[in-house]
Coordinates of all heavy atoms in Angstrom, one line a residue:
M1 N 8.9 22.5 -15.1 CA 7.9 22.3 -16.1 C 6.5 22.2 -15.3 O 6.4 21.4 -14.4 CB 8.2 21.0 -16.8 CG 7.3 20.7 -17.9 SD 7.9 19.3 -18.8 CE 7.3 19.7 -20.4
T2 N 5.6 23.0 -15.7 CA 4.3 23.0 -15.1 C 3.3 22.4 -16.0 O 3.6 22.1 -17.1 CB 3.9 24.5 -14.8 OG1 3.8 25.2 -16.0 CG2 4.8 25.2 -13.9
G3 N 2.2 22.1 -15.4 CA 1.1 21.5 -16.2 C 0.4 20.4 -15.5 O 0.5 20.3 -14.3
R4 N -0.3 19.6 -16.2 CA -1.1 18.5 -15.7 C -0.5 17.2 -16.2 O -0.1 17.1 -17.4 CB -2.5 18.7 -16.1 CG -3.2 19.9 -15.6 CD -4.4 20.3 -16.3 NE -5.3 19.2 -16.4 CZ -6.6 19.2 -16.7 NH1 -7.1 20.4 -16.9 NH2 -7.4 18.2 -16.8
Y5 N -0.3 16.3 -15.3 CA 0.3 15.0 -15.6 C -0.6 13.8 -15.3 O -1.2 13.8 -14.2 CB 1.6 14.8 -14.8 CG 2.7 15.8 -15.3 CD1 2.8 17.0 -14.7 CD2 3.6 15.4 -16.2 CE1 3.8 17.9 -15.0 CE2 4.6 16.3 -16.6 CZ 4.7 17.5 -16.0 OH 5.7 18.4 -16.4
L6 N -0.7 12.9 -16.2 CA -1.3 11.6 -16.0 C -0.2 10.6 -15.9 O 0.5 10.3 -16.9 CB -2.3 11.3 -17.2 CG -3.0 9.9 -17.1 CD1 -4.0 9.9 -16.0 CD2 -3.7 9.7 -18.4
L7 N -0.1 10.0 -14.7 CA 1.1 9.1 -14.5 C 0.8 7.7 -14.9 O -0.3 7.1 -14.8 CB 1.4 9.1 -13.0 CG 1.7 10.5 -12.4 CD1 2.2 10.3 -10.9 CD2 2.8 11.2 -13.1
D8 N 1.9 7.1 -15.4 CA 1.9 5.7 -15.8 C 2.4 4.9 -14.6 O 3.1 5.4 -13.7 CB 2.9 5.5 -17.0 CG 2.9 4.1 -17.5 OD1 3.6 3.3 -16.8 OD2 2.3 3.8 -18.5
T9 N 2.1 3.6 -14.6 CA 2.6 2.8 -13.5 C 4.1 2.8 -13.2 O 4.5 2.9 -12.1 CB 2.1 1.3 -13.7 OG1 0.7 1.3 -13.9 CG2 2.5 0.4 -12.5
N10 N 4.8 2.9 -14.3 CA 6.3 2.9 -14.2 C 6.8 4.2 -13.5 O 7.7 4.2 -12.7 CB 7.0 2.8 -15.6 CG 6.8 1.5 -16.2 OD1 6.6 0.5 -15.5 ND2 6.7 1.4 -17.5
I11 N 6.1 5.3 -13.8 CA 6.5 6.6 -13.1 C 6.1 6.5 -11.7 O 6.8 7.0 -10.8 CB 5.8 7.7 -13.9 CG1 6.2 7.8 -15.3 CG2 6.0 9.1 -13.1 CD1 7.7 8.0 -15.5
I12 N 5.0 5.9 -11.3 CA 4.6 5.8 -9.9 C 5.6 5.0 -9.2 O 6.0 5.3 -8.0 CB 3.1 5.2 -9.8 CG1 2.1 6.2 -10.5 CG2 2.8 5.0 -8.4 CD1 0.8 5.6 -10.7
I13 N 6.0 3.9 -9.8 CA 7.0 3.1 -9.1 C 8.3 3.8 -8.9 O 9.0 3.7 -7.9 CB 7.2 1.8 -9.9 CG1 6.0 0.9 -9.8 CG2 8.5 1.0 -9.5 CD1 6.0 -0.3 -10.8
A14 N 8.7 4.6 -9.9 CA 9.9 5.5 -9.8 C 9.8 6.5 -8.7 O 10.7 6.7 -8.0 CB 10.2 6.2 -11.1
L15 N 8.5 7.0 -8.5 CA 8.3 7.9 -7.4 C 8.5 7.2 -6.0 O 9.1 7.7 -5.1 CB 6.9 8.5 -7.4 CG 6.7 9.6 -8.5 CD1 5.2 9.9 -8.6 CD2 7.5 10.8 -8.1
F16 N 8.0 5.9 -5.9 CA 8.2 5.1 -4.7 C 9.7 4.9 -4.5 O 10.1 4.8 -3.3 CB 7.4 3.8 -4.8 CG 6.0 3.9 -4.7 CD1 5.1 3.0 -5.3 CD2 5.3 4.9 -4.0 CE1 3.8 3.0 -5.2 CE2 4.0 5.0 -3.9 CZ 3.2 4.0 -4.5
A17 N 10.4 4.8 -5.5 CA 11.9 4.5 -5.4 C 12.7 5.8 -5.3 O 13.9 5.8 -5.2 CB 12.4 3.8 -6.7
N18 N 12.0 6.9 -5.2 CA 12.6 8.2 -5.0 C 13.5 8.6 -6.1 O 14.7 9.1 -5.9 CB 13.3 8.3 -3.6 CG 13.4 9.8 -3.2 OD1 12.7 10.6 -3.6 ND2 14.4 10.0 -2.3
D19 N 13.1 8.3 -7.3 CA 13.9 8.7 -8.5 C 14.0 10.2 -8.6 O 13.0 10.9 -8.8 CB 13.2 8.1 -9.7 CG 14.0 8.2 -11.0 OD1 14.5 9.4 -11.3 OD2 14.3 7.2 -11.7
I20 N 15.2 10.7 -8.6 CA 15.5 12.1 -8.6 C 15.0 12.8 -9.9 O 14.3 13.9 -9.8 CB 17.0 12.4 -8.4 CG1 17.5 11.9 -7.1 CG2 17.2 13.9 -8.5 CD1 16.8 12.4 -5.8
A21 N 15.2 12.2 -11.0 CA 14.8 12.7 -12.3 C 13.3 12.9 -12.4 O 12.7 13.9 -12.8 CB 15.3 11.9 -13.5
V22 N 12.5 11.9 -11.9 CA 11.1 11.9 -11.9 C 10.6 13.0 -10.9 O 9.7 13.8 -11.2 CB 10.5 10.6 -11.6 CG1 9.0 10.7 -11.4 CG2 10.8 9.5 -12.7
N23 N 11.2 13.0 -9.7 CA 10.8 14.0 -8.7 C 11.0 15.5 -9.3 O 10.2 16.3 -9.1 CB 11.6 13.9 -7.5 CG 11.1 12.7 -6.6 OD1 10.0 12.2 -6.8 ND2 12.0 12.2 -5.8
N24 N 12.1 15.7 -10.0 CA 12.4 17.0 -10.5 C 11.4 17.4 -11.6 O 11.1 18.6 -11.7 CB 13.8 17.0 -11.1 CG 14.9 17.0 -10.0 OD1 14.6 17.3 -8.8 ND2 16.1 16.7 -10.3
Q25 N 10.9 16.5 -12.4 CA 9.9 16.8 -13.4 C 8.6 17.1 -12.8 O 7.8 17.9 -13.3 CB 9.8 15.6 -14.4 CG 10.9 15.4 -15.3 CD 11.0 16.6 -16.3 OE1 10.0 17.1 -16.8 NE2 12.2 17.0 -16.6
L26 N 8.2 16.5 -11.7 CA 6.9 16.6 -11.2 C 6.7 17.6 -10.0 O 5.6 18.0 -9.6 CB 6.4 15.3 -10.7 CG 6.2 14.2 -11.7 CD1 5.8 12.9 -11.1 CD2 5.2 14.6 -12.8
V27 N 7.9 18.2 -9.6 CA 7.8 19.0 -8.4 C 7.0 20.3 -8.7 O 6.3 20.8 -7.7 CB 9.3 19.4 -8.0 CG1 10.0 20.3 -8.9 CG2 9.3 20.0 -6.6
N28 N 6.9 20.8 -9.9 CA 6.2 22.0 -10.2 C 4.9 21.7 -10.9 O 4.3 22.7 -11.4 CB 7.0 23.0 -11.0 CG 8.2 23.5 -10.2 OD1 8.1 23.8 -9.0 ND2 9.4 23.6 -10.8
A29 N 4.4 20.5 -10.9 CA 3.2 20.2 -11.6 C 2.0 20.9 -10.9 O 1.9 21.0 -9.7 CB 3.0 18.7 -11.6
E30 N 1.1 21.3 -11.8 CA -0.1 22.0 -11.3 C -1.1 20.9 -10.7 O -1.7 21.0 -9.7 CB -0.8 22.8 -12.4 CG 0.0 24.0 -12.8 CD -0.7 24.7 -14.0 OE1 -1.8 24.4 -14.3 OE2 0.0 25.5 -14.6
E31 N -1.2 19.8 -11.5 CA -2.1 18.7 -11.1 C -1.4 17.4 -11.5 O -0.8 17.3 -12.6 CB -3.4 18.8 -11.8 CG -4.3 20.0 -11.3 CD -5.6 20.0 -12.0 OE1 -5.7 20.4 -13.2 OE2 -6.6 19.6 -11.3
I32 N -1.6 16.3 -10.7 CA -1.2 15.0 -11.0 C -2.3 14.0 -10.9 O -3.0 14.1 -9.9 CB 0.0 14.6 -10.1 CG1 1.2 15.5 -10.3 CG2 0.4 13.1 -10.3 CD1 2.3 15.3 -9.3
F33 N -2.5 13.2 -11.9 CA -3.6 12.3 -12.0 C -3.0 10.9 -12.0 O -2.0 10.6 -12.7 CB -4.5 12.5 -13.2 CG -5.1 13.8 -13.2 CD1 -4.5 14.9 -13.9 CD2 -6.3 14.1 -12.5 CE1 -5.1 16.1 -14.0 CE2 -6.8 15.4 -12.6 CZ -6.2 16.4 -13.3
I34 N -3.7 9.9 -11.3 CA -3.3 8.5 -11.3 C -4.6 7.7 -11.8 O -5.6 7.7 -11.1 CB -2.9 8.0 -9.9 CG1 -1.7 8.9 -9.5 CG2 -2.5 6.6 -10.0 CD1 -1.2 8.6 -8.0
P35 N -4.5 7.1 -12.9 CA -5.6 6.3 -13.4 C -5.9 5.1 -12.4 O -5.0 4.5 -11.8 CB -5.1 5.7 -14.7 CG -4.0 6.6 -15.1 CD -3.4 7.0 -13.9
S36 N -7.2 4.8 -12.4 CA -7.6 3.7 -11.5 C -6.9 2.3 -12.0 O -6.7 1.5 -11.1 CB -9.1 3.5 -11.5 OG -9.6 3.3 -12.8
V37 N -6.7 2.2 -13.2 CA -6.0 1.0 -13.7 C -4.6 0.9 -13.1 O -4.2 -0.2 -12.7 CB -5.9 1.0 -15.3 CG1 -5.0 -0.1 -15.8 CG2 -7.3 1.0 -15.9
D38 N -3.9 2.0 -13.0 CA -2.6 1.9 -12.4 C -2.7 1.5 -10.9 O -1.8 0.8 -10.4 CB -1.9 3.3 -12.5 CG -1.5 3.6 -13.9 OD1 -1.6 2.8 -14.8 OD2 -1.0 4.8 -14.1
I39 N -3.7 2.0 -10.2 CA -3.8 1.6 -8.8 C -4.1 0.1 -8.7 O -3.5 -0.6 -7.9 CB -5.0 2.4 -8.2 CG1 -4.6 3.9 -8.1 CG2 -5.3 1.9 -6.8 CD1 -5.7 4.8 -7.7
G40 N -4.9 -0.4 -9.6 CA -5.1 -1.9 -9.7 C -3.8 -2.6 -10.0 O -3.6 -3.7 -9.3
E41 N -3.0 -2.1 -10.9 CA -1.8 -2.8 -11.2 C -0.8 -2.8 -10.0 O -0.2 -3.8 -9.7 CB -1.1 -2.1 -12.4 CG -1.8 -2.4 -13.7 CD -1.1 -1.6 -14.9 OE1 -0.3 -0.7 -14.6 OE2 -1.5 -1.9 -16.0
L42 N -0.7 -1.7 -9.3 CA 0.1 -1.6 -8.2 C -0.4 -2.5 -7.0 O 0.4 -3.2 -6.4 CB 0.2 -0.2 -7.7 CG 0.9 0.8 -8.6 CD1 0.7 2.2 -8.1 CD2 2.4 0.5 -8.7
F43 N -1.7 -2.6 -6.8 CA -2.3 -3.5 -5.8 C -2.0 -4.9 -6.2 O -1.6 -5.7 -5.3 CB -3.8 -3.2 -5.7 CG -4.4 -4.1 -4.7 CD1 -4.3 -3.8 -3.3 CD2 -5.2 -5.2 -5.1 CE1 -4.9 -4.6 -2.4 CE2 -5.8 -6.0 -4.1 CZ -5.6 -5.7 -2.8
Y44 N -2.2 -5.3 -7.4 CA -2.0 -6.7 -7.9 C -0.5 -7.0 -7.7 O -0.2 -8.1 -7.2 CB -2.4 -6.8 -9.3 CG -2.1 -8.2 -9.8 CD1 -3.0 -9.3 -9.5 CD2 -1.0 -8.5 -10.6 CE1 -2.8 -10.5 -10.0 CE2 -0.8 -9.8 -11.1 CZ -1.7 -10.8 -10.8 OH -1.4 -12.1 -11.2
G45 N 0.4 -6.1 -8.1 CA 1.8 -6.4 -8.0 C 2.3 -6.5 -6.5 O 3.0 -7.4 -6.2
A46 N 1.7 -5.7 -5.7 CA 2.1 -5.8 -4.2 C 1.5 -7.0 -3.6 O 2.1 -7.7 -2.8 CB 1.6 -4.5 -3.5
S47 N 0.3 -7.4 -4.0 CA -0.3 -8.6 -3.4 C 0.3 -9.9 -3.9 O 0.4 -10.8 -3.1 CB -1.8 -8.6 -3.6 OG -2.1 -8.8 -5.0
S48 N 0.9 -9.9 -5.1 CA 1.5 -11.1 -5.6 C 2.8 -11.3 -4.9 O 3.3 -12.5 -4.9 CB 1.7 -11.0 -7.1 OG 2.6 -10.0 -7.4
V49 N 3.4 -10.3 -4.2 CA 4.6 -10.5 -3.5 C 4.4 -11.4 -2.2 O 5.2 -12.2 -1.8 CB 5.2 -9.2 -3.1 CG1 6.4 -9.3 -2.1 CG2 5.7 -8.4 -4.3
F50 N 3.2 -11.2 -1.7 CA 2.9 -11.9 -0.4 C 2.2 -13.2 -0.6 O 2.0 -14.0 0.3 CB 2.0 -11.0 0.5 CG 2.7 -9.7 0.8 CD1 2.4 -8.5 0.3 CD2 3.8 -9.7 1.7 CE1 3.1 -7.3 0.6 CE2 4.5 -8.6 2.1 CZ 4.1 -7.4 1.5
I51 N 1.7 -13.5 -1.8 CA 1.1 -14.7 -2.1 C 2.0 -15.7 -2.8 O 2.5 -15.3 -3.9 CB -0.2 -14.5 -3.0 CG1 -1.2 -13.6 -2.3 CG2 -0.8 -15.9 -3.4 CD1 -2.4 -13.2 -3.1
T52 N 2.3 -16.8 -2.2 CA 3.3 -17.7 -2.9 C 2.6 -18.9 -3.5 O 1.5 -19.3 -3.3 CB 4.3 -18.2 -1.8 OG1 3.6 -18.8 -0.7 CG2 5.1 -17.1 -1.3

């Protein structure tokens, strides 16, 4: 499937987890976009792991 994709946080996490189904969908993408809000969510989630 070709085209342009705007990724959600859940899809980005699936990519980090090497989810085969997600990888197969995005392998032929023409363009992939990640919203700045998603980057913030990932940063917040990662930083909360290290802060107790």
Side-chain angles (χ1 to χ4, degrees):
M1 185 172 210
T2 61
R4 297 165 47 164
Y5 291 89
L6 178 64
L7 302 185
D8 182 283
T9 306
N10 294 329
I11 298 300
I12 297 168
I13 291 170
L15 286 171
F16 287 152
N18 202 24
D19 185 308
I20 300 298
V22 173
N23 286 341
N24 289 341
Q25 286 291 324
L26 296 177
V27 70
N28 294 321
E30 293 174 16
E31 293 181 284
I32 296 174
F33 301 94
I34 301 173
S36 59
V37 171
D38 288 356
I39 294 170
E41 289 176 349
L42 293 168
F43 181 77
Y44 179 79
S47 67
S48 66
V49 171
F50 298 107
I51 300 172
T52 56

